[in-house]
Amino acid sequence: MARIQAALLVVFMTCGAAGGRTCRNTVQGVATVCDDTGRVCPAAAAAATAGCCPPAAARHTCGACDPIARCCAEFEACVSCCLSDELAPVRAEGLARRRHVLVFAPMDAERDPFRYCAARCRTGAASTVHQNRYKDGLRHCFAAALDD
């Protein structure tokens, strides 16, 4: 269990500034990040603002995601879309699946949706064929697959 939690800590970082708000954000991509409010912005913009994307940055970006499969081409878009309030039931459904209880329970999806979404958007069964090939370009899924 500790090994899984340690691996998940690599997914995001916390940036700080004296006396100001700090945000956790994904560090998956070089060009863009998603902060813990669901905003997506260039990594340089987040680095300049204590890890937070600017308020004008796109929030809960689901446009690049398949609404039925709940999979996205980019990791940051997946985390952002997963953080949408309207998708809270999807997060709860994923956590309720027996297989995920041991992996995601320590994160408590209701109290820390950012950690849950960052972990869930990693490549999983919903985006692979035979566990060794991607089905298509939508590699990051935030909903549990039926066989997941």
Side-chain angles (χ1 to χ4, degrees), residues 10-22:
V10 176
V11 174
F12 61 86
M13 67 178 183
T14 302
C15 298
R21 173 163 162 45
T22 61

Side-chain angles (χ1 to χ4, degrees), residues 17-44:
R21 173 163 162 45
T22 61
C23 295
R24 293 172 294 164
N25 60 57
T26 58
V27 290
Q28 173 78 14
V30 177
T32 59
V33 297
C34 175
D35 69 15
D36 57 11
T37 66
R39 287 187 171 86
V40 177
C41 66

Side-chain angles (χ1 to χ4, degrees), residues 25-85:
N25 60 57
T26 58
V27 290
Q28 173 78 14
V30 177
T32 59
V33 297
C34 175
D35 69 15
D36 57 11
T37 66
R39 287 187 171 86
V40 177
C41 66
T49 56
C52 304
C53 288
R59 188 171 186 208
H60 301 146
T61 56
C62 298
C65 304
D66 181 326
I68 296 168
R70 295 187 171 120
C71 295
C72 311
E74 301 294 327
F75 176 71
E76 293 78 10
C78 180
V79 174
S80 177
C81 190
C82 176
L83 286 169
S84 171
D85 290 338

Side-chain angles (χ1 to χ4, degrees), residues 60-134:
H60 301 146
T61 56
C62 298
C65 304
D66 181 326
I68 296 168
R70 295 187 171 120
C71 295
C72 311
E74 301 294 327
F75 176 71
E76 293 78 10
C78 180
V79 174
S80 177
C81 190
C82 176
L83 286 169
S84 171
D85 290 338
E86 65 189 44
L87 292 172
V90 174
R91 290 192 301 268
E93 175 189 342
L95 186 63
R97 292 187 183 275
R98 182 182 169 106
R99 178 186 245 177
H100 297 298
V101 170
L102 293 176
V103 175
F104 294 119
M107 292 177 231
D108 194 348
E110 289 185 25
R111 286 190 292 196
D112 196 353
F114 178 73
R115 286 184 68 184
Y116 173 81
C117 290
R120 187 66 221 156
C121 286
R122 291 281 173 211
T123 303
S127 62
T128 58
V129 178
H130 307 298
Q131 299 178 349
N132 64 2
R133 227 175 359 135
Y134 291 114

